[in-house]
Amino acid sequence: EKAVQQLGQLKRVESRSTRNQSIVTVHIKDHYNKKTMPQVWDELRRKVADVQSQLPPGAGKSVVYDDFGDVYGIYYAITGEGYSYKQIYEYAKMLQRELLAAKDVKRVVLYGVQNEAVFIKMRREKMAQLGISPQDIYAKLKSKNLATNSGNLLLGEEFIPISPTGEFRSEQEFGDLLITSPSAKSTSLVYLRDVAEIKRDYQDPPATLLRFDGKPAIGLAISTVQGGNVMVMSDSLDQRLKDLEALRPVGMELNIISHQAQSVAASLTGFVINLVEAVAIVVGVLLLFMGLRSGLILGVVLLITIMGAFMFMQANNITLERISLGALIIALGMLVDCAIVVTDGMRMQMAQGKSGFDAAKDIVGQTALPMLGGTAVAIVAFAAIGTSQDSTGEYCRTLFSVILYSLTLSWLTAVTCTPLLCATFLKVTPAGTTDASDDPYSKGFYRLYSNFLSTCIRFRWVVVAVVVALFISALMGFSYVKNSFFPDSTRPQFYVDIWFPEGTDIRETERQFTVAEAALKKDEGVTHLTSMIGGNQVRFMLTYSPESNYYSFGQILVDVDDFTRIKTLAPQVQKQLETLFPSAIINVRLFVLGPSTGGKIQLRIIGPDDEQLRILAGKAETILSSNPDAKAIRNETREKIKVVRPQMAETQARRAGIDRPELSEALESAFQGTRVGVYRERDELIPILARAPV
């Protein structure tokens, strides 16, 4: 923390320390973007590296993770009915290796993998009889299967590498390891199988678990390279999977947890349809009220403006996504404002006999600067969103950028293309064919509008009062409208966070999740359930924030057949699971189209006294619990957990020459196992754990 606090770019630092691990989370000031952030992380690495020598003895080297924010847009769950976990894992590893060759793929990671280990269960009585100590076994195991260089031999014209035998090729060969000790009571050969039982199994407890529709699974998550196209990556992955189909064992399935390309395709199709409809509506209204020629001219100018905006978006690396397309739809109604002013003014003057050049000169000269001012006002109205120095501003920056480009181009085309098109295609009434007193603005709609304006000016104070009253009414009316800068997503999926009491074993958490899955399957509209147990989930959406590693925590992704069901299904699931697990904290959450910030209300209490902080946190929770609309109230320190504290007899320990590290090692070996070496099997490094027999 002290090293991190030396960063000038720091906003705040948080840490979470548990047994055997401390996680320091660094929050950088908001005004750093993706271009400047790598430099900040490099400086952070240097600061952390400089203090490694100051860490307590026994502490491991600090590792800086700056890529946990990577988004894995395509996420599969691999299941295999009738297959062992090992077989599923081998297939997942093969896919992980092969899919890296697909276009625009940055990284492929696995989730829910259970790590194997070779367990050496030592027989203490037999070891004592033969005079073999645990350290003798540890020393021999550490020297096996190390990658060593034995040199080369020049044999004639060939330079041949030397590779002696002796390495383990399977865990069964561990029993043939010869154990020797200077203090051995017998001169006979002692093999490891004589004093220990060798068994290969999975480490317990596992760090994370994944279940898909109630079946054990391994997650396969794929991220896109910086600047890559998820649609291109998806097509390349589909082709790659098609090529690998012959290697897929029958019954092994790739189930979709999240597929960003499919969501993007559906969203873009919907937005493009909305964009085309909006353009058609604007052009249709122009044709109706401006006439055929004027309407077509304005329609062409609108298309030129939109195409120009696309060119600027391409030049500034702005992609077509929800925000940028939404900005175009917002701007559509304003893109023809300036062009309408110029077109209508030139049409009227040309109807009075002026040439197209003179009409353009007069109208553009009179309106260019006022239109520029109005355009600037419209652009500035969105500047607060695009220039905001926080995650919201970063997420919505393209909204301001697209409006800036499109409205600026609309003014530019209004004073260039529009006069040219009007002068070319609008008819000029020949001189002498119209009466000078025949003013186009003195009849029809213009006359009615002129009379209305005259009346408003005559009774201006009444008009001002009416406008003020309408403004106040609007303010009062908006107070009844639900406030939400980012709406809920239309994604047909929501998720449930379940926090069991701290200290709950991950296997117990898994057992409780099977109960929750069975209950949720009965709900109407639920199609798939994905359970991620243990935290450290894969970030499969930009707005989705995974939790840290907790054995007592799990999350269920609930897929539904129609996203409109979520509004009624989510509260139902909240009540259903609260009744099912009264001791757990249940939080049903919906995906949003914007940055995710965790709880709606967050309170940070800072102080030096841990016990006092817990008391204050309890008071805060009590206050929040009194509100009937509050749910899932929790604090990040969690509950205190039970700890077994063996009492070390100092006097007897000194007489026996035993100190605390040796006692800790013996206890670890007796229960979980002490890591004494590594067994290398192809591309796997499997730890060797020595422990007492159960």
Side-chain angles (χ1 to χ4, degrees), residues 553-580:
F553 169 77
Q555 188 177 85
I556 302 178
L557 291 175
V558 183
D559 291 83
V560 296
D561 54 5
D562 187 353
F563 79 92
T564 57
R565 290 184 181 270
I566 296 178
K567 187 175 181 181
T568 56
L569 185 59
Q572 175 185 328
V573 170
Q574 179 77 33
K575 294 180 180 178
Q576 183 180 9
L577 294 182
E578 285 178 346
T579 304
L580 198 60

Side-chain angles (χ1 to χ4, degrees), residues 223-284:
S223 66
T224 313
V225 296
Q226 181 72 31
N229 190 324
V230 70
M231 306 292 291
V232 173
M233 184 184 77
S234 175
D235 293 339
S236 180
L237 286 172
D238 289 343
Q239 182 60 46
R240 192 67 181 149
L241 288 172
K242 186 177 180 180
D243 296 339
L244 297 171
E245 180 65 21
L247 300 178
R248 181 176 67 88
V250 177
M252 206 81 79
E253 300 291 340
L254 263 72
N255 306 280
I256 296 176
I257 298 177
S258 177
H259 203 297
Q260 187 180 9
Q262 294 178 357
S263 302
V264 168
S267 298
L268 283 179
T269 300
F271 271 101
V272 169
I273 291 174
N274 290 336
L275 180 62
V276 172
E277 290 176 348
V279 172
I281 291 171
V282 171
V283 173

Side-chain angles (χ1 to χ4, degrees), residues 87-88 130 299 306 350 519 553 555 602 607-608:
Q87 291 171 319
I88 299 175
L130 298 174
I306 293 175
M350 292 171 70
F553 169 77
Q555 188 177 85
Q602 300 181 33

Side-chain angles (χ1 to χ4, degrees), residues 70 204 342 354 379 430 450 535 546 549 589 632:
D70 284 358
D204 193 58
V342 174
K354 278 192 176 182
I379 293 172
S450 177
N549 187 235
R589 304 175 66 181

Side-chain angles (χ1 to χ4, degrees), residues 1-15 24-29 40 43-48 51 606:
E1 289 178 347
K2 290 179 181 178
V4 170
Q5 288 170 349
Q6 297 174 19
L7 285 172
Q9 304 92 337
L10 182 70
K11 181 178 181 180
R12 71 173 185 273
V13 59
E14 300 172 356
S15 66
V24 179
T25 305
V26 183
H27 298 263
I28 301 301
K29 293 177 181 177
V40 177
E43 184 177 347
L44 173 65
R45 284 191 179 89
R46 292 194 298 269
K47 298 289 187 185
V48 172
V51 298
I606 302 173

Side-chain angles (χ1 to χ4, degrees), residues 31-75:
H31 55 266
Y32 293 94
N33 55 33
K34 62 181 181 181
K35 295 181 180 179
T36 57
M37 194 63 76
Q39 300 176 2
V40 177
W41 296 142
D42 288 342
E43 184 177 347
L44 173 65
R45 284 191 179 89
R46 292 194 298 269
K47 298 289 187 185
V48 172
D50 290 342
V51 298
Q52 292 305 297
S53 61
Q54 302 177 27
L55 293 177
K61 184 179 179 181
S62 303
V63 180
V64 177
Y65 293 99
D66 62 353
D67 58 356
F68 70 94
D70 284 358
V71 177
Y72 295 85
I74 297 180
Y75 191 16

Side-chain angles (χ1 to χ4, degrees), residues 119-124 126-127 130 137 141 174-175 179 190-199 690-691 693:
F119 293 97
I120 309 296
K121 298 182 179 180
M122 296 179 291
R123 301 188 182 101
R124 299 285 182 177
K126 194 68 175 178
M127 291 169 58
L130 298 174
I137 297 177
L141 288 171
F174 276 61
I179 307 297
V190 179
Y191 294 96
L192 182 59
R193 62 174 173 268
D194 297 330
V195 294
E197 178 187 348
I198 298 98
K199 181 181 179 182
R691 69 182 183 186

